[in-house]
Amino acid sequence: MKNKITQTIIKIVSKITLICSVLLLIGIATPTKMLAGPIKVVVIDAGHGGHDPGAVGKSNVYEKNVNLKVALKLGELIESNFKDIKVVYTRKTDVFVELKKRTQIANENHADLFISIHCNSVNNSTIYGSETFVMSPDNNSANLAVAQKENAAILYESNYKEDYAGYDPNSTDAYILFSLYQNAYLNQSIKFASKIQEEFRTNTKLVDRGVKQAGFLVLWRTTMPSVLVEIGFLSNPKEEAFLASEKGQNDIANSLFRAFAQLVKEKNNISIETPILIENNDLPENKEDENKDNKIVSEQQSSEVVFRIQISCLRENKKTNDPIFKGLENIRMWENGKYYCYTAGEETSYEGATALLEKIKTMGFKDAFITAYKNEEKISIKEAKEHLKQ
């Protein structure tokens, strides 16, 4: 009995210590710069590195290598187009950099923007697309799983319990507390993340999985607008090939730069009519073999059908993390006249969509129904079923 009481007291004290540590850090890192100030310094973070490989694709493509190549290409684009903006890298070679060191680099260089580049991976090899995260409290289980996977990198650090105030990457207790760090910059982070996803969707032809919010340690202590970009899924064979190709990396870097250039136009009042971008014309074997790889993502989009559950259409524009959507995943919104309509989930089979619909109905959305999309264009359920038979 005494042992149980002692353990309970220890847990309570640990949580109080964690809360105090986070609040103390928030006090130390209180923003002093004007939120609307110009961008003078940008920090580009290539996720993982060294003995931390990150995700590994079925063809042995290492996330750490893809991240670094895209980060260096993005940095070169910024330096070539904006001479007055300083680019700082958390790493320029295949070395391991602790998560706390990455944000320390950003803070010490008084960065105005922090961009962390990653690749995604899940057990389902049919899932693909890009998504951009900002630091914010979000109890969505799918977003939490992504954050926990990336945060597990701290296990490669020898003193992670001391350096991260006793943080456990497998625990959900600290995520909301850590998100307090980014609240001051949340709107700006979301705005930039939206630009990134728009560029991916329109120029790189990556499926847009949306802007999401979760508790990433690499964003925790940054005192500036910050995003973590998951540029694609190494667990999807076709997307793995695209991410590993120079063409794919060039296209992704170009899209990230276009989003950055839009932000600079707004913040610095600087516009480039003809930006210097990475051209793919001179790639070896570009005419045949590379062209085949270049079409990977667009072919995948046109051949894949997905089902989503339309849950409601409202007159009020709700954020995707609104309590009304608690327990739902992959929330998407689009405008339909005076209404804002929302879907949840994403399934590649009609049977899976049917099961998801029944689950969502039990959560109170009794008028929900199944919708189908091909290449992000809405199609009828009949068309979707016919396509799946092919």
Side-chain angles (χ1 to χ4, degrees):
M1 184 66 180
K2 288 184 177 180
N3 289 337
K4 289 184 178 180
I5 294 174
T6 301
Q7 291 174 0
T8 302
I9 292 173
I10 291 174
K11 288 182 180 180
I12 293 173
V13 171
S14 297
K15 289 189 177 182
I16 292 174
T17 302
L18 176 60
I19 293 170
C20 292
S21 298
V22 174
L23 292 176
L24 176 61
L25 288 167
I26 292 171
I28 293 173
T30 299
T32 56
K33 295 180 294 183
M34 293 295 291
L35 294 178
I39 295 175
K40 298 178 181 179
V41 181
V42 57
V43 170
I44 303 176
D45 172 48
H48 306 281
H51 59 276
D52 173 18
V56 181
K58 291 185 177 180
S59 298
N60 288 322
V61 175
Y62 280 43
E63 178 188 356
K64 65 175 185 177
N65 297 332
V66 176
N67 296 343
L68 180 60
K69 290 178 180 178
V70 172
L72 293 176
K73 289 175 184 289
L74 172 60
E76 290 175 4
L77 284 169
I78 294 173
E79 291 170 330
S80 299
N81 287 276
F82 298 106
K83 304 296 184 182
D84 294 331
I85 294 179
K86 179 182 178 181
V87 177
V88 178
Y89 303 88
T90 58
R91 67 181 183 98
K92 298 184 73 173
T93 58
D94 184 20
V95 295
F96 177 72
V97 181
E98 296 175 343
L99 294 183
K100 67 181 180 66
K101 179 63 176 177
R102 296 170 191 263
T103 52
Q104 184 180 340
I105 291 171
N107 292 335
E108 289 179 349
N109 282 276
H110 305 289
D112 303 293
L113 186 66
F114 180 84
I115 306 171
S116 186
I117 298 172
H118 290 256
C119 298
N120 222 329
S121 179
V122 292
N123 292 329
N124 187 344
S125 63
T126 65
I127 293 177
Y128 55 91
S130 65
E131 51 195 14
T132 302
F133 286 85
V134 299
M135 184 74 178
S136 182
D138 192 334
N139 293 324
N140 180 294
S141 59
N143 296 356
L144 179 62
V146 176
Q148 286 179 318
K149 174 173 62 67
E150 300 293 3
N151 291 348
I154 69 169
L155 297 177
Y156 289 98
E157 303 176 26
S158 58
N159 296 316
Y160 77 88
K161 288 186 178 180
E162 291 80 6
D163 292 335
Y164 299 94
Y167 169 78
D168 178 0
N170 296 313
S171 170
T172 60
D173 291 342
Y175 280 87
I176 292 179
L177 292 174
F178 292 160
S179 68
L180 295 174
Y181 248 74
Q182 275 291 299
N183 280 350
Y185 299 100
L186 181 58
N187 289 337
Q188 290 187 71
S189 299
I190 291 175
K191 190 173 183 179
F192 179 50
S194 299
K195 295 180 188 297
I196 291 173
Q197 289 302 123
E198 174 66 20
E199 288 297 330
F200 280 159
R201 183 171 62 254
T202 57
N203 290 304
T204 313
K205 305 303 180 186
L206 287 168
V207 170
D208 178 11
R209 293 175 58 85
V211 175
K212 301 180 180 181
Q213 302 173 353
F216 289 93
L217 281 176
V218 76
L219 303 181
W220 171 24
R221 298 180 181 180
T222 53
T223 56
M224 73 285 302
S226 306
V227 297
L228 185 145
V229 189
E230 298 279 4
I231 59 178
F233 284 80
L234 288 177
S235 49
N236 181 293
K238 290 183 178 179
E239 201 152 81
E240 178 189 14
F242 178 74
L243 293 172
S245 70
E246 188 170 358
K247 167 66 165 60
Q249 293 164 10
N250 289 347
D251 286 351
I252 290 168
N254 282 338
S255 286
L256 288 171
F257 171 74
R258 288 190 187 96
F260 177 80
Q262 291 180 45
L263 192 64
V264 171
K265 181 179 180 180
E266 295 174 6
K267 293 274 192 176
N268 300 28
N269 197 27
I270 298 175
S271 180
I272 301 177
E273 293 185 6
T274 308
I276 301 171
L277 297 174
I278 302 174
E279 299 292 340
N280 292 305
N281 298 331
D282 297 329
L283 290 178
E285 306 298 328
N286 187 57
K287 293 183 180 180
E288 295 182 7
D289 294 340
E290 284 297 318
N291 281 342
K292 183 178 179 182
D293 287 336
N294 295 346
K295 297 177 183 177
I296 286 172
V297 174
S298 59
E299 288 176 353
Q300 179 175 303
Q301 285 183 324
S302 61
S303 63
E304 291 286 348
V305 165
V306 296
F307 298 94
R308 296 169 187 151
I309 309 302
Q310 183 162 327
I311 53 177
S312 62
C313 284
L314 308 171
R315 284 190 175 274
E316 182 183 356
N317 185 1
K318 299 280 188 180
K319 293 183 178 180
T320 56
N321 66 335
D322 190 280
I324 193 175
F325 303 126
K326 185 176 180 180
L328 299 175
E329 299 181 1
N330 293 332
I331 303 295
R332 291 169 180 258
M333 184 278 286
W334 76 97
E335 294 184 38
N336 185 5
K338 296 181 179 179
Y339 292 89
Y340 298 92
C341 298
Y342 299 84
T343 62
E346 186 167 285
E347 298 288 336
T348 55
S349 70
Y350 185 72
E351 292 75 15
T354 301
L356 179 59
L357 174 62
E358 292 305 314
K359 178 182 177 181
I360 288 178
K361 282 187 174 182
T362 64
M363 298 169 66
F365 299 93
K366 299 189 181 300
D367 296 326
F369 57 91
I370 299 173
T371 56
Y373 297 82
K374 180 181 177 183
N375 195 22
E376 291 304 306
E377 294 291 333
K378 194 171 184 179
I379 60 175
S380 69
I381 299 298
K382 182 180 178 181
E383 287 179 279
K385 288 182 175 179
E386 289 177 353
H387 179 81
L388 292 176
K389 291 178 181 179
Q390 298 176 2

